[in-house]
Amino acid sequence: MSDATSPNESPDFDAMTRDIAEVPAVEVIVTVAVNLMSAAAVKLGLTEDGDEHKDLDEARKLVHALAGLLDASATEISSFHAAPLRDGLKSLQLAFREASAVPDEVGQGPGEKYTGPVYG
């Protein structure tokens, strides 16, 4: 993307649009999925700071959104891209179940609407 602008300059939106136009859809989908996974991991307390940023309500939303994205894009991205994302999603779902004081019923956890039941 373009270089950063000073506070008095406006960003070069034409250059940004050109940059985005050159990115394949699969790369955009995978990037969004990885961002959702990273944010969910933080909200699950899986980072070095652990409990400092832990928020299971927020984690639930992020894991659910990730599952929906992967379900919706399954036919659009190859298994080369999808398999590690599905593995990461399942790990997050299991981490959510373990972090919950009162775990959801099997099949009712975040994203299980799209992935099916996740057993711990």
Side-chain angles (χ1 to χ4, degrees):
M1 296 217 341
S2 304
D3 294 332
T5 59
S6 69
N8 296 334
E9 294 178 32
S10 62
D12 184 357
F13 290 114
D14 290 336
M16 286 197 232
T17 301
R18 268 192 313 277
D19 290 347
I20 291 169
E22 295 170 6
V23 178
V26 170
E27 190 174 329
V28 173
I29 293 167
V30 170
T31 300
V32 170
V34 169
N35 285 330
L36 286 168
M37 291 175 84
S38 298
V42 169
K43 296 297 184 178
L44 284 167
L46 301 177
T47 61
E48 286 182 16
D49 297 331
D51 290 339
E52 184 178 338
H53 302 290
K54 190 172 185 177
D55 184 337
L56 294 183
D57 185 49
E58 291 290 301
R60 176 184 294 279
K61 293 171 189 171
L62 292 163
V63 172
H64 190 77
L66 174 62
L69 174 64
L70 294 182
D71 183 58
S73 63
T75 60
E76 305 301 324
I77 60 177
S78 67
S79 60
F80 174 79
H81 293 99
L85 294 173
R86 282 192 301 265
D87 290 344
L89 171 59
K90 184 174 182 180
S91 294
L92 291 170
Q93 289 172 311
L94 289 171
F96 185 91
R97 185 171 299 285
E98 290 175 11
S100 298
V102 180
D104 296 314
E105 293 291 325
V106 173
Q108 300 302 309
E112 291 183 39
K113 167 183 173 179
Y114 301 108
T115 64
V118 174
Y119 300 95

